[in-house]
Amino acid sequence: MPKFYFDPGHGGSDSGAVGNGLKEKDITLSIAKAMEKYLKENYEDVQIKMSRIDDTFPTLTERTNEANEWGADCFVSIHINAHTNTAAKGFSSYVYPNPGADTIAFQNVLHEEIMRAIGGNNITDRGKLQANFHVLRESNMKACLTENLFISNPSDAALLKKNDVLNQFAKGHALGLVKFYGLKQKTVSPPPSSTLYRVIAGTFSSEENARKQVDRLKADGYESYIDVK
């Protein structure tokens, strides 16, 4: 049963990047919660821990320490990018420099599934990159940090204001984990067969009266017949 550690970037007094009426800390938490919901509703044997579930600010050290002590199989940190150049836009993912083959494979799958999920929005793919970020350096497991569009770019920000786009990002992250770890989809039990209720319109000792009742019901548009006991 794989253990997934989700880290919605920033939180509390640390709003992260701000722009176009948005705060990074709010968007990252929305995406992480949607990731958790999607996986728990659709896949079996998944354990998920989040660095925060509300507007609080665990330190970077607290986040990586918790993931390490829990024995997480992977660490996924969700962020929103920003730049002084408001033309900068798009999606990118990061791992720690000089990663092992397993981490490279993890980034490849996660990045590709996210780009596939958001592909209908004409989003720029800024590539699979490497950086000396604390959460990547200090985590003991496979770790990937995603930068989900630029809050400073008007067109990217317009997408980040749409719940369906945030859900696409969340689903892309989730499906990357599904593919990499080979998660088993939950089987949906078929609904119980419909129960039928029979209405008895009377019991008669006289056949003539029984036929009159059948005729009255048929005249009102109800299918009727005589059952002789």
Side-chain angles (χ1 to χ4, degrees), residues 197-217:
Y197 298 90
R198 177 173 294 169
V199 177
I200 307 300
T203 301
F204 305 88
S205 59
S206 166
E207 182 180 356
E208 180 181 358
N209 290 337
R211 293 196 178 280
K212 287 180 180 179
Q213 179 71 317
V214 167
D215 291 340
R216 282 194 292 269
L217 291 169

Side-chain angles (χ1 to χ4, degrees), residues 32-107:
K33 283 185 172 180
M35 289 163 59
E36 178 186 38
K37 182 174 186 290
Y38 181 82
L39 286 170
K40 286 187 173 180
E41 286 183 352
N42 295 284
Y43 293 89
E44 297 179 356
D45 299 330
V46 177
Q47 294 185 73
I48 297 170
K49 189 181 287 290
M50 291 175 53
S51 61
R52 65 185 181 96
I53 58 172
D54 50 23
D55 191 19
T56 55
F57 179 71
T59 66
L60 296 180
T61 299
E62 287 172 338
R63 298 175 201 231
T64 50
N65 282 353
E66 183 178 57
N68 292 339
E69 290 167 7
W70 185 48
D73 292 288
C74 70
F75 188 112
V76 181
S77 192
I78 301 100
H79 288 261
I80 310 300
N81 221 331
H83 201 281
T84 53
N85 176 8
T86 58
K89 61 181 181 177
F91 170 80
S92 56
S93 66
Y94 290 83
V95 293
Y96 188 66
N98 301 312
D102 205 30
T103 297
I104 291 174
F106 181 63
Q107 181 186 26

Side-chain angles (χ1 to χ4, degrees), residues 102-124:
D102 205 30
T103 297
I104 291 174
F106 181 63
Q107 181 186 26
N108 286 341
V109 171
L110 198 63
H111 188 104
E112 289 161 10
E113 287 302 317
I114 294 168
M115 283 304 303
R116 181 176 292 111
I118 62 177
N121 299 292
N122 194 30
I123 288 171
T124 301

Side-chain angles (χ1 to χ4, degrees), residues 176-213:
L177 296 171
V178 168
K179 184 174 181 179
F180 188 83
Y181 286 95
L183 299 185
K184 183 178 180 182
Q185 193 163 15
K186 287 183 178 179
T187 55
V188 179
S189 300
S193 57
S194 300
T195 302
L196 301 177
Y197 298 90
R198 177 173 294 169
V199 177
I200 307 300
T203 301
F204 305 88
S205 59
S206 166
E207 182 180 356
E208 180 181 358
N209 290 337
R211 293 196 178 280
K212 287 180 180 179
Q213 179 71 317

Side-chain angles (χ1 to χ4, degrees), residues 129-206:
L129 309 172
Q130 299 178 10
N132 183 21
F133 296 142
H134 173 97
V135 294
L136 302 178
R137 182 182 66 250
E138 301 300 326
S139 49
N140 295 337
M141 66 294 301
K142 291 180 291 295
C144 186
L145 184 148
T146 60
E147 292 281 8
N148 301 275
L149 305 187
F150 280 71
I151 206 168
S152 50
N153 178 277
S155 60
D156 274 9
L159 291 173
L160 292 171
K161 291 177 181 179
K162 298 180 179 180
N163 286 333
D164 62 327
V165 174
L166 297 187
N167 285 331
Q168 288 170 15
F169 273 106
K171 188 174 181 179
H173 282 76
L175 291 179
L177 296 171
V178 168
K179 184 174 181 179
F180 188 83
Y181 286 95
L183 299 185
K184 183 178 180 182
Q185 193 163 15
K186 287 183 178 179
T187 55
V188 179
S189 300
S193 57
S194 300
T195 302
L196 301 177
Y197 298 90
R198 177 173 294 169
V199 177
I200 307 300
T203 301
F204 305 88
S205 59
S206 166

